[in-house]
Amino acid sequence: MFMKSHKNLYNEVISLGNLTLAWRKARKGKTQRDYVIYFEEDLIKNLLDLYKELKEETYSPEPLKTFILRDPKTRKISKSAFRDRIVHHALCNIIEPIFDKSFIYDNSANRKGKGTLFALKRLDYFIGKVTNNRASKAFCLKADIKHYFQEINHSALLEIIKRKIKDKQVLQLIRCILREREREREAHFLINRKGMPLGNLTSQFFANVYLNELDRFVKHKLRVKYYIRYVDDFVILHKSKKQLDIWKREINRFLLDKLRIELHPDKSRIINLSRGVDFVGFRNFYFHKLLRKRNIKNMRRKIHLFNQEEISYNKFIEIFQGWKAYSDWSNNYKLIFNLIREIKSFHSFSKASKTLESGDKTNT
């Protein structure tokens, strides 16, 4: 099969126009952060300096800043410096459209027009199809990849990228970005050259490119009809439990042989659809969906912190309204109403109750 490759992309990546666009994307929603304000104090000079480094190929990312996030799972997040995030956006602006054309329709991770809501609707549609409009029994292989971001192999990733990108300067920039991980000085990553930091735009994009190999194997080799992937979680629906078991073994063999990763042994299992499928934050049943307990517990924790004045009013309202817009897709109407009432009763004297009032009407 002929596959188009792309050369002479580097000048597009580093152009001042693209860097300016990348800066605008990198600052979105973060204009009040100290590091953004500092960079923009001498914006033109900083962008020109970045352009010069990229042009002369002397650019080197700054060390990653790492912190532990418990929200609700404990995760190690590594953030790049703001100038490096501009470079990440500049790279993705140019090469992401090239790869996106080869992604399957039901890859719902970090793509324009896709996301958790898309995945949720597709799963609901697939449940209807595989169960003859919810009249018969069917099964689901619910799986995720073991330690996915930590295990992505750099050599395998670069070989995948090279099929489409032939520009040596772009490939060198990608190597440079991947080696950010090595600046954490963790022997595991230095020796094995694998893993990508959670929190970077390029990590999300490269992770999608990597698992596109799995998507294509599942759709074109195994010819699976009802398959959806969101980051490293995926579901496959079928009437036959035996067929799903066969596919599970074949998928794990493919992942080990081709991508040097594997299915999580405890989180990859076949279940009856009638029991509900945990996917993109919801437990999805035939005729309704509920928020996952972990999701609810996390929101209650945020409310507690707000009540203890450990989260500012503006920050909490932003968190809660985002959570409510998401949770409204569930059938937890009473729970959502009670949470809003709990916040109002504690903050009846404040403007919080007025802000929440407008979002409360749909569920009361």
Side-chain angles (χ1 to χ4, degrees):
M1 180 179 175
F2 175 75
M3 181 179 290
K4 184 179 179 182
S5 61
H6 297 261
K7 303 178 181 179
N8 306 317
L9 295 173
Y10 192 67
N11 286 337
E12 292 182 53
V13 172
I14 70 168
S15 70
L16 281 171
N18 190 42
L19 288 176
T20 302
L21 175 61
W23 157 68
R24 294 185 187 280
K25 287 185 176 181
R27 76 191 293 269
K28 189 175 181 179
K30 300 178 177 65
T31 56
Q32 301 305 311
R33 302 289 174 86
D34 291 344
Y35 54 80
V36 176
I37 294 170
Y38 178 76
F39 187 89
E40 293 177 355
E41 283 177 355
D42 203 345
L43 177 62
I44 295 175
K45 179 182 182 301
N46 287 329
L47 286 177
L48 286 172
D49 286 347
L50 197 54
Y51 168 76
K52 183 180 178 184
E53 289 177 32
L54 290 164
K55 181 74 173 176
E56 296 175 353
E57 297 183 63
T58 59
Y59 166 76
S60 180
E62 294 179 15
L64 295 167
K65 290 185 178 179
T66 301
F67 59 94
I68 302 299
L69 181 65
R70 295 177 176 85
D71 190 23
K73 293 192 297 185
T74 299
R75 294 177 293 164
K76 183 178 181 182
I77 307 294
S78 299
K79 293 180 68 174
S80 297
F82 183 66
R83 71 193 303 271
D84 295 325
R85 287 182 234 172
I86 293 174
V87 174
H88 296 173
H89 276 280
L91 176 67
C92 289
N93 283 348
I94 303 304
I95 70 171
E96 187 170 9
I98 295 170
F99 283 92
D100 192 76
K101 293 175 184 176
S102 68
F103 292 166
I104 67 167
Y105 181 76
D106 289 311
N107 165 1
S108 59
N110 307 308
R111 298 174 66 196
K112 189 174 181 179
K114 303 293 174 77
T116 55
L117 181 55
F118 170 86
L120 198 64
K121 289 180 176 180
R122 287 295 279 176
L123 177 59
D124 193 56
Y125 174 72
F126 284 168
I127 289 174
K129 284 289 187 180
V130 76
T131 61
N132 298 317
N133 201 23
R134 294 165 174 78
S136 60
K137 184 169 72 173
F139 298 88
C140 173
L141 168 59
K142 168 68 174 68
D144 73 5
I145 312 299
K146 183 180 179 182
H147 302 150
Y148 180 50
F149 278 86
Q150 296 98 310
E151 295 296 327
I152 294 175
N153 185 280
H154 292 185
S155 296
L157 173 62
L158 283 165
E159 287 305 311
I160 294 167
I161 291 172
K162 284 178 184 177
R163 293 181 207 157
K164 287 186 174 292
I165 306 297
K166 301 300 182 183
D167 188 312
K168 292 182 179 179
Q169 290 171 295
V170 171
L171 291 171
Q172 183 55 35
L173 178 60
I174 291 170
R175 291 189 190 95
C176 186
I177 290 171
L178 288 174
R179 285 199 294 270
E180 280 185 316
R181 189 68 173 177
E182 297 175 8
R183 286 167 171 78
E184 292 185 274
R185 298 183 178 180
E186 295 184 20
H188 175 74
F189 293 102
L190 282 167
I191 294 169
N192 296 288
R193 292 197 183 281
K194 63 181 181 179
M196 294 189 302
L198 283 171
N200 278 354
L201 174 69
T202 46
S203 295
Q204 297 170 13
F205 170 64
F206 292 147
N208 230 0
V209 170
Y210 205 66
L211 279 188
N212 184 48
E213 301 297 298
L214 168 65
D215 297 341
R216 297 180 72 80
F217 173 75
V218 170
K219 294 299 290 184
H220 302 308
K221 182 70 174 178
L222 301 183
R223 305 181 88 67
V224 172
K225 194 171 183 179
Y226 304 121
Y227 166 81
I228 315 165
R229 179 175 64 81
Y230 182 79
V231 192
D232 60 333
D233 290 345
F234 66 87
V235 292
I236 297 176
L237 278 56
H238 199 274
K239 292 182 181 295
S240 167
K241 188 175 182 180
K242 182 178 179 181
Q243 180 62 69
L244 288 174
D245 191 55
I246 293 170
W247 283 340
K248 180 183 177 183
R249 291 196 300 270
E250 291 182 338
I251 286 169
N252 206 37
R253 191 180 306 119
F254 171 83
L255 292 173
L256 286 165
D257 292 348
K258 301 297 184 182
L259 299 179
R260 307 176 204 180
I261 52 179
E262 61 181 317
L263 293 178
H264 197 296
D266 301 324
K267 298 180 182 179
S268 303
R269 58 190 184 277
I270 298 167
I271 58 175
N272 192 314
L273 272 176
S274 63
R275 291 174 51 196
V277 181
D278 279 344
F279 192 54
V280 293
F282 296 88
R283 192 163 180 81
N284 300 271
F285 295 89
Y286 274 27
F287 297 101
H288 69 286
K289 52 183 64 65
L290 300 175
L291 288 165
R292 294 177 66 181
K293 290 181 180 178
R294 188 173 70 191
N295 187 306
I296 298 168
K297 184 178 178 181
N298 186 39
M299 192 64 242
R300 287 192 183 280
R301 184 173 64 83
K302 295 286 178 58
I303 292 171
H304 174 74
L305 291 173
F306 177 53
N307 289 342
Q308 299 299 314
E309 298 184 350
E310 294 182 35
I311 297 180
S312 70
Y313 164 79
N314 288 334
K315 182 65 177 176
F316 176 75
I317 291 300
E318 179 186 340
I319 291 170
F320 189 84
Q321 288 182 335
W323 178 84
K324 186 177 179 299
Y326 181 70
S327 62
D328 278 347
W329 288 95
S330 76
N331 298 95
N332 295 88
Y333 307 121
K334 187 175 180 180
L335 166 74
I336 297 168
F337 172 74
N338 287 338
L339 286 178
I340 293 174
R341 187 170 59 181
E342 179 184 332
I343 298 165
K344 285 188 199 175
S345 64
F346 197 92
H347 292 273
S348 58
F349 56 87
S350 75
K351 57 183 178 179
S353 59
K354 292 181 181 179
T355 306
L356 294 171
E357 190 75 42
S358 61
D360 189 14
K361 294 177 182 177
T362 57
N363 289 322
T364 56

